[in-house]
Amino acid sequence: MSKDTSVIIDARSEERFLGTAPEPRPELSSGHIPNSINIPFKFVLENRKMKSFDDLFKIFTKFENENEIIFTCGSGITASILALAAAVLEIKNTAVYDGSWTEWASNGNLPIVKEV
């Protein structure tokens, strides 16, 4: 990927991301932000602790050339777990979309992708 790109990484479960499982907030559609990718927050944890540097590097190495990495989830909480994992790797170009899926899906005018 070129240095002029950004990536949105969604920390929710694969089922919520794909739109195959309902959101815990009944008024919200499941699905995801267009062009975002899914790394469930549990992928960076092992026995409820952060995985090793080497394991985290394997997960995040494909994003090393991104201009910015934006983490999102349902409400901004589990996105912060991915942001912490990136910080362990000293990745500096990150942000957490604190409104996350709740804000996006509540808008009504923003596109939602479902892969069902």
Side-chain angles (χ1 to χ4, degrees):
M1 297 186 159
S2 78
K3 197 66 171 157
D4 297 332
T5 62
S6 295
V7 65
I8 299 171
I9 301 176
D10 192 317
R12 293 175 300 145
S13 71
E14 180 179 33
E15 296 80 13
R16 288 171 61 195
F17 180 82
L18 294 176
T20 60
E23 285 294 310
R25 297 160 193 86
E27 70 280 4
L28 293 182
S29 172
S30 58
H32 61 271
I33 297 170
N35 302 312
S36 61
I37 63 165
N38 184 227
I39 300 178
F41 77 94
K42 292 181 180 181
F43 284 18
V44 302
L45 302 176
E46 188 173 325
N47 297 320
R48 297 176 21 187
K49 296 180 181 173
M50 197 66 62
K51 285 186 174 180
S52 72
F53 183 94
D54 290 341
D55 287 342
L56 294 175
F57 184 79
K58 290 174 190 171
I59 295 168
F60 287 97
T61 189
K62 62 184 141 229
F63 308 112
E64 65 186 345
N65 292 322
E66 298 294 340
N67 185 44
E68 183 176 34
I69 302 170
I70 303 165
F71 297 108
T72 186
C73 61
S75 61
I77 303 300
T78 56
S80 298
I81 296 171
L82 294 185
L84 177 60
V88 167
L89 297 171
E90 298 184 7
I91 298 172
K92 308 274 188 230
N93 54 336
T94 64
V96 172
Y97 173 22
D98 61 347
S100 285
W101 186 248
T102 300
E103 181 176 86
W104 186 275
S106 295
N107 182 288
N109 294 317
L110 298 173
I112 294 174
V113 176
K114 290 188 180 212
E115 297 178 25
V116 292

